[in-house]
Every structure is written in structure tokens, then in C-alpha cells.
């Protein structure tokens, strides 16, 4: 199994067994989408099979372009809807909650660090940098950089504390 698919499976199921893969693939639409995303960005026969799965994906709920750089262990809660710019860079062990938008009107979109939890209804706008171990609260609008180990909330998002923000990242993929 591809290491990226394995890392995503671990985030959803807590293990990487074949039975867990089958359960996740047939029960979790976001995981199915991620398998297609990972395969279409691989090489050889996997890429060809991924191309078929990519054509069959549900485009209405998750818009994660093939060119988007995504690290290991992506977790998409509630299967979307999610809209991500192709210029965004997403780190390892990132949670994307429903109604998340990461975009830009010009140039590059956000760079998101490792172990980041993005709550429901969050908009991350333009070329901001989100540090490692960050939590962004529900409904926040992020227009400025968020430092490492911070929790940020609000419209416009402001850092409210540095009190263990990565606690919302379950089943971290550590085999990097």
C-alpha cells in the first residue's frame, strides 16, 4: 500500500490493516476521494488506476486539485464540503473540517504546517503561513500568519492562547 494512502488510513481508522482499508474505502467518502487523489499523483499503473478513480470522484463536496501539495496523514471530517486552491501547501497530520476554504484571489494560497486542526467553516485567505501544532477555531477567517503552537479564533482570527493546541489531532502518523 502506498505510504500516503497508509498514512491517511491510519488517521481515519487508527491502523493500516486490509480490513480497515476496505471499511474506510466503502464507508467514508472523504477517504475514497483521498485514495483517488493519492493514486492520481503517483506513478505507473497506480497513476492510471488513480486516473479512473479521479474521474469517478464526487466533485461537489471536496475540491482538492491534483496539483495541491499535501503531506502525510490528511483527515477530512464529514466528507466536506472543502475548497482548496491548487497553490496551497498542506503539511502532515492536518485535519480539515466541513465548510473549509483555503484560497487566494492572486498568487499563492496558504502554507499550513504539521499537526494543524482547522475547524468547521474556516476561511484561510491569501498567502498566510500557519505554523505547526495550531488549532483554528470554527468560523474563523484567517488573513494573517498564525505562529506555531497557537490557538486562533474569530473574524479576523486572533491568537487566544498557546495551551496544547494539537490535542485535536488524533491518530497522528509518525512514520515520516
Amino acid at each position: 500500500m502506498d505510504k500516503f494512502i497508509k498514512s491517511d488510513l491510519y488517521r481515519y481508522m487508527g491502523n493500516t490493516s486490509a480490513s480497515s482499508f476496505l471499511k474506510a474505502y466503502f464507508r467514508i467518502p472523504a477517504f475514497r476521494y483521498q485514495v483517488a487523489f493519492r493514486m492520481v499523483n503517483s506513478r505507473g499503473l497506480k497513476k492510471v488506476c488513480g486516473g479512473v478513480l479521479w474521474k469517478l470522484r464526487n466533485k461537489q463536496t471536496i475540491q482538492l486539485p491534483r496539483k495541491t501539495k499535501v503531506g502525510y496523514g490528511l483527515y477530512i471530517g464529514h466528507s466536506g464540503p472543502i475548497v482548496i486552491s491548487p497553490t496551497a501547501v498542506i503539511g502532515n497530520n492536518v485535519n480539515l473540517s466541513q465548510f473549509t476554504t483555503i484560497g487566494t484571489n492572486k498568487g499563492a494560497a496558504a502554507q499550513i504546517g504539521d499537526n494543524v486542526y482547522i475547524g468547521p467553516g474556516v476561511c484561510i485567505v491569501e498567502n498566510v503561513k500557519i505554523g505547526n501544532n495550531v488549532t483554528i477555531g470554527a468560523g474563523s477567517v484567517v488573513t494573517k500568519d498564525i505562529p506555531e503552537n497557537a490557538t486562533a479564533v474569530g473574524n479576523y482570527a486572533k491568537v487566544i492562547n498557546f495551551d496544547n493546541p494539537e490535542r485535536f489531532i488524533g491518530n497522528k502518523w509518525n512514520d515520516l
Side-chain angles (χ1 to χ4, degrees):
M1 186 181 320
D2 177 90
K3 190 173 178 182
F4 282 105
I5 294 172
K6 202 174 191 179
S7 69
D8 295 344
L9 176 62
Y10 187 79
R11 292 294 317 284
Y12 281 94
M13 305 299 283
N15 66 64
T16 59
S17 70
S19 64
S20 289
F21 176 85
L22 291 173
K23 284 179 190 173
Y25 191 82
F26 290 109
R27 292 183 182 171
I28 305 170
F31 181 73
R32 234 183 349 264
Y33 184 96
Q34 286 174 239
V35 169
F37 175 81
R38 298 300 193 177
M39 288 179 72
V40 80
N41 284 304
S42 63
R43 295 183 182 165
L45 183 58
K46 256 194 246 182
K47 185 174 186 116
V48 173
C49 293
V52 172
L53 293 174
W54 189 251
K55 293 286 185 193
L56 299 173
R57 75 195 187 285
N58 183 347
K59 300 175 203 169
Q60 276 62 43
T61 60
I62 301 173
Q63 294 179 24
L64 178 61
R66 290 173 60 172
K67 294 184 179 186
T68 307
K69 292 183 174 120
V70 180
Y72 294 100
L74 177 65
Y75 180 92
I76 298 175
H78 304 287
S79 298
I82 306 281
V83 179
I84 311 281
S85 168
T87 60
V89 177
I90 299 172
N92 301 312
N93 296 317
V94 172
N95 282 34
L96 299 175
S97 298
Q98 66 274 23
F99 300 103
T100 295
T101 301
I102 303 172
T104 182
N105 289 316
K106 56 184 187 271
Q111 293 180 341
I112 298 170
D114 298 340
N115 305 316
V116 174
Y117 175 86
I118 300 172
V122 170
C123 290
I124 302 174
V125 185
E126 303 304 339
N127 189 14
V128 297
K129 290 182 179 39
I130 310 293
N132 296 330
N133 310 314
V134 167
T135 294
I136 301 172
S140 297
V141 177
V142 180
T143 59
K144 295 186 177 162
D145 295 354
I146 307 287
E148 291 193 356
N149 305 308
T151 297
V153 298
N155 184 359
Y156 296 101
K158 293 182 180 164
V159 174
I160 60 166
N161 67 47
F162 293 89
D163 186 23
N164 191 22
E166 68 179 289
R167 68 187 173 276
F168 297 114
I169 305 296
N171 297 330
K172 284 185 193 173
W173 179 257
N174 292 316
D175 186 29
L176 302 175

